[in-house]
Amino acid sequence: MLHLNWSKKLSRISNAYREEAQPCPVLPENMQRSDVQRLMRRVAAAIGMNDGQLTVMLAMIDETRPSDWSNPSIEPVCFAMQSNIAALTGKDERTVRRVEAVLENVFRFIRKDVAMNGRRCRFRRSDGSEYRQGIVFTPLIEAIPRLVELEADLNSGRVDRAVLKQKISAAKRIVKKKLMDLQPRFPEDSTLRDIAGEFLSWPTRFYASVSVGELREHLGEVSGVVDKLMAFADMKQKMSARPDKDDRQYIQDTTQDTSVFCNETVDKRAAHKWADTKSEPAQPEGCADFLENKHQDRSAKHNSEIGEHLTPMRLFYLCTEEMQLQIQISQGMRKYPDERDFMNAAIDLSSLT
């Protein structure tokens, strides 16, 4: 009986030796054990792994030799006993035992290669090679490419969420700006009251539980309100520009006095020479008729005129081709771009860099 048990043991050791002689999977190029742990932290929630399971798994990975993850001649193995992992993670042995079963049978990240009593060990053979029993992480190495793709998808989703949130904020600022401009001018208008009520009902922030689809839906809702306000402002502007047929055109009375009275006394001189010109003492901001102030007034007037003449279409043609493309994407089927299209294009371009 003793001889039979020893033969079985030798057979198991021989089989393990032949398995170890085969090339083992290794991590992708430039990836190390610490990268695996970082990757697992990022994708754990997405694959349904809770915090307790992640904590135990990371503790077991810490008990492996870092070089074994990139060595094709050996597998990364955790030799620590369940009692040791429990002490490291602040959990009981029963919890560690359950987590090991989940990691092996549900996630398929480990392979349990332990003795009948659960013992983990390693010893060196006469030829210098090692025989190992423990928690083998080769299945996790084989799953790394799939987990890396999942992380990329998650990162893309995070970018989409960030872009959508920025666009929603920009659109809401436009709504607020339009309401502040139109409500004082049309305080009794029911359309503006309804839009203001809708604006106040919108959430001021979004939690992580809000999906990308819900964010897109809310952006469409806010953009629809922007369209309503744009149409309302355009309608009111056309109505105010159209003269009433009952209004009589104002004709200037040619008999009216056209004299203009100044606040200051005009200094009349016989000869208009620079030397005869008297200037007032300099004030902190310069006197009222000081040349610098006049130049500033003209500059301010000139800048305001530039802003009035810089229509959305003129601004569109001043943009780069890449910016123009993003503006057109945001514009969609509308005839002309507006303020939000320039904001959305800027947000999209910044997310691509």
Side-chain angles (χ1 to χ4, degrees):
M1 186 69 179
L2 181 62
H3 177 73
L4 181 61
N5 290 338
W6 180 247
S7 298
K8 288 182 178 180
K9 184 176 181 180
L10 288 177
S11 177
R12 188 169 63 248
I13 293 174
S14 178
N15 291 334
Y17 178 77
R18 284 195 298 268
E19 289 176 0
E20 290 185 10
Q22 300 296 324
C24 302
V26 296
L27 292 175
E29 188 177 1
N30 298 327
M31 197 171 187
Q32 301 176 0
R33 188 189 70 175
S34 58
D35 298 317
V36 175
Q37 294 172 301
R38 188 179 302 110
L39 176 64
M40 292 308 305
R41 291 189 183 97
R42 292 176 178 175
V43 303
I47 62 177
M49 182 179 288
N50 60 42
D51 291 341
Q53 294 165 347
L54 177 63
T55 300
V56 170
M57 181 178 180
L58 294 179
M60 290 194 295
I61 292 177
D62 270 334
E63 294 299 311
T64 63
R65 192 162 54 190
S67 60
D68 292 351
W69 293 78
S70 55
N71 187 350
S73 63
I74 200 167
E75 293 180 304
V77 179
C78 170
F79 303 105
M81 299 297 292
Q82 292 173 348
S83 57
N84 294 337
I85 298 297
L88 289 172
T89 58
K91 304 182 182 300
D92 55 59
E93 292 186 38
R94 182 179 300 177
T95 299
V96 174
R97 192 177 302 113
R98 286 199 302 266
V99 171
E100 287 183 357
V102 171
L103 292 177
E104 181 178 30
N105 302 317
V106 178
F107 296 111
R108 302 189 184 281
F109 288 157
I110 66 171
R111 185 181 76 247
K112 291 185 70 173
D113 185 6
V114 298
M116 295 298 293
N117 60 357
R119 187 169 182 270
R120 297 102 193 264
C121 66
R122 63 177 174 179
F123 62 86
R124 191 172 298 278
R125 300 188 184 96
S126 58
D127 62 355
S129 61
E130 285 186 343
Y131 172 72
R132 302 164 146 216
Q133 282 187 324
I135 304 298
V136 183
F137 280 98
T138 297
L140 177 58
I141 292 179
E142 294 172 337
I144 289 297
R146 173 171 54 86
L147 297 176
V148 169
E149 289 182 3
L150 175 60
E151 182 194 20
D153 292 340
L154 292 174
N155 289 337
S156 177
R158 292 189 190 104
V159 172
D160 289 343
R161 286 175 59 84
V163 169
L164 286 170
K165 286 182 179 180
Q166 291 179 46
K167 288 183 178 180
I168 290 171
S169 297
K172 286 182 176 178
R173 285 195 297 270
I174 295 175
V175 172
K176 182 178 180 180
K177 178 181 175 183
K178 291 291 182 183
L179 285 174
M180 292 178 66
D181 177 53
L182 294 171
Q183 279 189 311
R185 294 158 54 191
F186 309 101
E188 303 301 324
D189 192 273
S190 60
T191 301
L192 292 180
R193 281 201 304 270
D194 293 342
I195 291 176
E198 188 175 0
F199 173 79
L200 293 175
S201 69
W202 288 337
T204 55
R205 59 178 298 181
F206 296 97
Y207 297 96
S209 58
V210 178
S211 66
V212 173
E214 291 174 305
L215 290 175
R216 286 201 180 96
E217 183 179 350
H218 187 54
L219 177 59
E221 179 185 1
V222 178
S223 297
V225 172
V226 173
D227 288 333
K228 290 180 184 178
L229 288 172
M230 295 283 189
F232 181 90
D234 187 55
M235 178 191 67
K236 293 297 183 181
Q237 184 177 7
K238 289 179 180 178
M239 290 179 62
S240 63
R242 186 170 57 240
D244 195 326
K245 63 180 181 180
D246 295 329
D247 290 344
R248 298 180 61 186
Q249 295 293 327
Y250 173 75
I251 302 176
Q252 182 178 349
D253 187 356
T254 56
T255 61
Q256 68 182 359
D257 189 4
T258 59
S259 301
V260 178
F261 297 93
C262 300
N263 293 331
E264 297 179 354
T265 304
V266 178
D267 185 13
K268 298 182 181 179
R269 288 182 173 80
H272 299 284
K273 297 181 181 179
W274 183 264
D276 296 334
T277 303
K278 295 181 180 179
S279 60
E280 297 181 3
Q283 301 299 321
E285 300 296 333
C287 60
D289 60 348
F290 197 66
L291 294 179
E292 286 186 4
N293 288 339
K294 293 181 179 179
H295 177 70
Q296 291 175 359
D297 293 340
R298 288 195 298 270
S299 299
K301 182 179 179 181
H302 178 66
N303 292 335
S304 64
E305 290 176 351
I306 291 177
E308 292 175 358
H309 294 297
L310 191 60
T311 62
M313 286 308 300
R314 289 184 178 180
L315 181 59
F316 173 82
Y317 289 117
L318 291 175
C319 296
T320 63
E321 291 184 2
E322 191 176 12
M323 183 73 170
Q324 289 179 0
L325 176 61
Q326 296 296 333
I327 292 171
Q328 289 173 330
I329 293 174
S330 175
Q331 178 184 343
M333 301 301 295
R334 285 181 282 110
K335 189 174 181 180
Y336 299 109
D338 55 42
E339 180 181 357
R340 72 188 132 163
D341 299 320
F342 291 90
M343 290 184 177
N344 289 341
I347 292 170
D348 287 330
L349 285 179
S350 65
S351 68
L352 295 175
T353 56

